[in-house]
Amino acid sequence: MPTPIAVFIGAPSSGKSKIGKRVARLLGVPFIDTDKRITALHGEITEIFATHGELHFRELEQRVVAEALTEEAIVSVGGGAVIHELTQAALRDQRVVLLTTTADAVAARITSGKRPLLKDGGVDAWIRLVEARRPIYERLAVRTWDTSARPIDTIAAEIADWLAAELPQLTHTHRKDTEK
């Protein structure tokens, strides 16, 4: 059974989707955003929260994540996916990349209103959320990259380099020695 090349975890707005897409492109592999899959299957996440509550959403999320973990791809999971015990168990044997960021860096990133757990509390809510999840994130992570200030293309290239070294069968399209 195929397994993911890497799974991206981290706080909301840490760059999991943006960087994950770039890593997948550099490695020439598929990219899966589990939040997008949930939306495609069940509707907008904010609506699921409003209509059915967080517990129902977490159950849907757990099933979508479990399915994504059977595919050979770069997988990005929602910030709270790791709180489900079955998801934690499924991630224990994966190449889990934790993306971190600071509250200052995330302040401009969380203005969309598409994050139901942050809608009323802004950065303060984000800080509380991250602190509550930090032990889980850190326990599951194989490698960590901070996304606060560095260019996302640089971070993506570093992650792709690491994965290519871990999995030599990957065709790595990024070159450190760019042609002049």
Side-chain angles (χ1 to χ4, degrees):
M1 175 185 285
T3 60
I5 294 160
V7 180
F8 285 72
I9 66 171
S13 296
S14 60
K16 299 177 298 291
S17 294
K18 285 184 179 180
I19 293 172
K21 281 181 197 174
R22 283 172 169 79
V23 170
R25 192 175 320 117
L26 289 169
L27 296 174
V29 299
F31 173 74
I32 298 168
D33 182 322
T34 60
D35 280 351
K36 288 200 184 306
R37 281 199 174 172
I38 292 166
T39 300
L41 292 168
H42 304 285
E44 290 298 319
I45 292 172
T46 52
E47 288 299 315
I48 297 169
F49 264 76
T51 306
H52 302 288
E54 183 179 3
L55 184 60
H56 177 76
F57 171 75
R58 295 298 173 203
E59 291 301 319
L60 296 174
E61 181 179 50
Q62 184 277 320
R63 290 194 295 270
V64 169
V65 170
E67 182 181 311
L69 295 180
T70 67
E71 299 179 49
E72 189 172 5
I74 298 294
V75 177
S76 170
V77 302
V82 299
I83 63 176
H84 199 290
E85 289 182 17
L86 291 176
T87 299
Q88 289 178 40
L91 290 175
R92 283 193 186 102
D93 295 326
Q94 304 296 329
R95 257 174 247 89
V96 176
V97 174
L98 170 60
L99 298 182
T100 62
T101 191
T102 63
D104 288 340
V106 85
R109 299 179 193 173
I110 61 171
T111 58
S112 72
K114 293 183 178 181
R115 300 177 190 284
L117 294 179
L118 303 178
K119 69 178 178 182
D120 296 325
V123 175
D124 290 336
W126 182 88
I127 291 168
R128 287 189 300 277
L129 227 143
V130 171
E131 288 307 311
R133 296 172 182 171
R134 184 181 314 279
I136 299 169
Y137 290 147
E138 291 176 352
R139 183 173 68 248
L140 294 172
V142 174
R143 294 282 307 265
T144 301
W145 273 268
D146 183 79
T147 66
S148 301
R150 298 173 59 225
I152 60 174
D153 286 335
T154 301
I155 296 166
E158 289 174 6
I159 296 169
D161 286 343
W162 169 66
L163 290 169
E166 290 278 309
L167 301 163
Q169 73 272 23
L170 291 174
T171 303
H172 186 32
T173 59
H174 171 70
R175 293 196 190 335
K176 283 185 180 178
D177 53 345
T178 55
E179 297 176 18
K180 298 180 182 181

